[in-house]
């Protein structure tokens, strides 16, 4: 088994992200080592992941209890599930030297990560991301949390993992639509900060779990996220910084909210959002029409939408964007592309340009 790694440098919270086919077995070895020292290790996963990866769940279960969320997907990021995990950790008599293993996509990572951040005021946790989105985005950077009925991610904490083990083999069972949704975030990284990565994605063809370039592409995304997080760990930078990771997201969040959650996978809404952000960047005089087409071609190559699949009202999308927390003090703030691979925060984007981008993307 060969693996590649990147170190996320955050002082005493520094950790490695290790990527490779079969690397998740390192978690089993770590769990065995902890247990041999008398320390408690608890794995948290979801029913879907347990079904998809039974051998890995079984191997981890040999070294400590496994808590399976009652539901799969976004609704698992709830205070009810969080309380179940806290109680499960207490029932296992986990002390401050215990470890939580988050085995799953971004949902399990955020939920179990927050349980680890808050139980006994913080215990160690290991991320085994099992979706492409979780590998390139949610497992790195330390944001953990749950949703409230009033909104997504309203309660949470910054808590960095001890290690991230991104095993490309586990992606084999991921539904193709979920895989593609993760590719939208990969394309986002190319567009926001690495023209070479973007060009590689153009020439790589459709990405799949066993694409020979996949591990290297994941590594590059992790490096970029780590470097952005290292400079702006708590998203306090007024411009650029961690906010750049939101390229395509102001549009994407509005699409998800107006279409109704669940209509689009998050990555699909981001794909349309990236296409709209490219059109907006063209309208502002940064990108050429040919560059906008290149953005859309890479998205389509990976079976992602570039236009709304059903028309939504531009007015409703504008209203949703004004409510988005990324739109500060009423002015329209967007992440725009100055070039393919160079994104910047742009304040005071004219509402008319935003509207044009929405209409070009299929809004009415
Ligand atoms: N913390 C962060 O920085 C951050 C960043 C981005 C997104 N997020 C969060 O991530 C979440 C979305 O994560 P996601 O897209 O990974 O969704 P997810 O965790 O809901 O996983 C998607 C689906 O795939 C299934 N699945 C996962 N791995 C599988 C596998 N290997 N084989 C078969 N099925 C598998 C899951 O059971 C689920 O049904 C959102 O809640 C979002 O807020 C967090």
């Amino acid at each position: 088994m060969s693996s590649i790694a990147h170190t996320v440098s955050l002082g005493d919270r520094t950790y490695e992200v290790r990527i490779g086919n079969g690397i998740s077995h390192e978690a089993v070895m770590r769990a065995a080592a902890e247990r041999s020292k008398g320390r408690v290790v608890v794995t948290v996963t979801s029913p879907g992941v347990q079904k998809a990866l039974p051998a890995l769940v079984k191997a981890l279960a040999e070294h400590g209890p496994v808590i399976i969320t009652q539901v799969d997907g976004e609704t698992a990021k709830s205070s009810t599930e969080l309380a179940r995990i806290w109680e499960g950790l207490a029932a296992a008599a986990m002390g401050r030297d215990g470890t939580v293993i988050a085995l799953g996509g971004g949902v399990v990572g955020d939920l179990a990560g927050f349980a680890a951040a808050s139980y006994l005021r913080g215990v160690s946790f290991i991320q085994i991301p099992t979706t492409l989105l979780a590998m390139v985005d949610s497992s790195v950077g330390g944001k953990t949390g749950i949703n409230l009925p009033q909104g997504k991610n309203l309660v949470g904490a910054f808590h960095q993992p001890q290690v991230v083990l991104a095993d490309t083999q586990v992606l084999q069972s991921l539904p193709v639509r979920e895989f593609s949704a993760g590719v939208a975030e990969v394309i986002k990284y190319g567009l926001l900060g690495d023209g070479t990565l973007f060009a590689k994605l153009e020439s790589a063809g459709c990405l799949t779990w066993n694409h020979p370039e996949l591990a290297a592409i994941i590594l590059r995304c992790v490096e970029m996220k780590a470097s952005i997080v290292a400079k702006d760990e708590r998203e306090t930078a007024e411009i650029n910084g961690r906010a750049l990771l939101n390229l395509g997201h102001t549009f994407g969040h509005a699409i998800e909210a107006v279409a109704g959650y669940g209509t689009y996978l998050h990555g699909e809404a981001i794909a349309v959002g990236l296409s709209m952000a490219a059109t907006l960047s063209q309208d502002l005089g940064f990108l050429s029409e040919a560059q906008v087409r290149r953005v859309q071609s890479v998205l389509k190559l990976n079976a992602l939408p570039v236009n709304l699949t059903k028309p939504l009202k531009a007015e409703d999308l504008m209203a949703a964007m004004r409510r988005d927390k990324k739109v500060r003090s009423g002015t329209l703030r967007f992440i725009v592309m100055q070039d393919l691979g160079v994104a910047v925060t742009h304040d005071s984007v004219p509402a008319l340009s935003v509207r044009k981008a929405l209409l070009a993307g299929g809004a009415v």
Side-chain angles (χ1 to χ4, degrees):
M1 180 195 66
S2 66
S3 69
I4 47 180
H6 179 72
T7 302
V8 182
S9 301
L10 290 169
D12 59 1
R13 296 177 313 295
T14 294
Y15 57 97
E16 267 200 337
V17 180
R18 297 165 62 75
I19 305 157
N21 202 317
I23 195 83
S24 55
H25 267 277
E26 221 180 83
V28 180
M29 273 146 48
R30 283 176 183 245
E34 290 301 298
R35 194 171 67 129
S36 71
K37 291 180 204 150
R39 297 174 182 165
V40 174
V41 179
V42 173
T43 299
V44 178
T45 193
S46 72
V49 175
Q50 186 202 24
K51 201 166 157 222
L53 305 169
L56 182 54
V57 175
K58 191 163 171 264
L60 288 166
E62 279 172 26
H63 305 291
V66 176
I67 301 174
I68 297 163
T69 56
Q70 283 174 314
V71 287
D72 232 301
E74 203 54 43
T75 46
K77 274 172 59 174
S78 68
S79 51
T80 314
E81 293 283 5
L82 178 66
R84 276 187 71 236
I85 299 172
W86 281 334
E87 285 167 27
L89 302 183
M94 181 182 281
R96 297 216 49 193
D97 56 1
T99 302
V100 174
I101 297 180
L103 173 67
V107 162
V108 168
D110 281 11
L111 173 70
F114 186 45
S118 46
Y119 179 75
L120 295 181
R121 299 188 185 82
V123 293
S124 276
F125 87 112
I126 292 175
Q127 289 265 23
I128 310 180
T130 62
T131 63
L132 182 58
L133 176 133
M135 289 185 188
V136 298
D137 194 354
S138 59
S139 66
V140 181
K143 276 192 185 175
T144 69
I146 58 164
N147 304 324
L148 294 181
Q150 288 81 356
K152 273 191 71 171
N153 301 324
L154 287 185
V155 181
F158 286 95
H159 189 55
Q160 302 293 343
Q162 190 188 91
V163 69
V164 179
L165 300 169
D167 184 346
T168 47
Q169 174 90 48
V170 306
L171 297 175
Q172 187 172 4
S173 55
L174 191 66
V176 173
R177 203 177 150 202
E178 291 284 352
F179 186 92
S180 298
V183 178
E185 300 285 351
V186 171
I187 295 170
K188 176 197 77 176
Y189 282 105
L191 290 174
L192 79 85
D194 187 348
T196 310
L197 172 62
F198 182 75
K200 191 179 208 174
L201 295 172
E202 285 183 302
S203 62
C206 180
L207 290 182
T208 51
W209 75 271
N210 56 356
H211 191 290
E213 299 275 4
L214 187 67
I217 288 171
I218 294 171
L219 180 73
R220 184 63 197 119
C221 297
V222 167
E223 281 169 2
M224 290 175 69
K225 175 135 191 201
S227 130
I228 291 171
V229 168
K231 288 184 202 130
D232 183 22
E233 188 179 355
R234 288 173 175 258
E235 200 167 347
T236 47
E238 262 304 302
I239 54 161
N240 301 323
R242 206 161 171 156
L244 290 182
L245 295 166
N246 289 320
L247 176 63
H249 281 57
T250 305
F251 286 114
H253 287 153
I255 293 167
E256 284 182 287
V258 176
Y261 288 101
T263 309
Y264 291 83
L265 291 181
H266 175 69
E268 292 168 343
I270 296 314
V272 181
L274 288 172
S275 174
M276 288 176 174
T279 313
L280 175 65
S281 306
Q282 182 193 354
D283 195 64
L284 296 172
F286 296 131
L287 294 189
S288 67
E289 198 183 327
Q291 285 175 310
V292 175
R293 271 202 301 272
R294 281 175 64 192
V295 173
Q296 294 174 336
S297 297
V298 174
L299 292 166
K300 284 189 213 158
L301 184 65
N302 286 285
L304 285 161
V306 297
N307 291 314
L308 295 172
T309 48
K310 273 195 205 141
L312 299 172
K313 283 191 189 152
E315 273 327 302
D316 294 346
L317 292 164
M318 293 291 284
M321 283 190 275
R322 289 204 173 88
R323 282 193 299 269
D324 190 310
K325 62 183 192 293
K326 269 98 199 172
V327 180
R328 295 183 188 194
S329 46
T331 61
L332 290 170
R333 160 179 269 217
F334 277 83
I335 313 298
V336 298
M337 286 164 258
Q338 288 186 326
D339 198 351
L340 299 182
V342 185
V344 290
T345 42
H346 191 306
D347 283 310
S348 338
V349 170
L352 194 64
S353 301
V354 178
R355 207 184 149 77
K356 272 162 80 178
L358 290 172
L359 295 175
V364 290

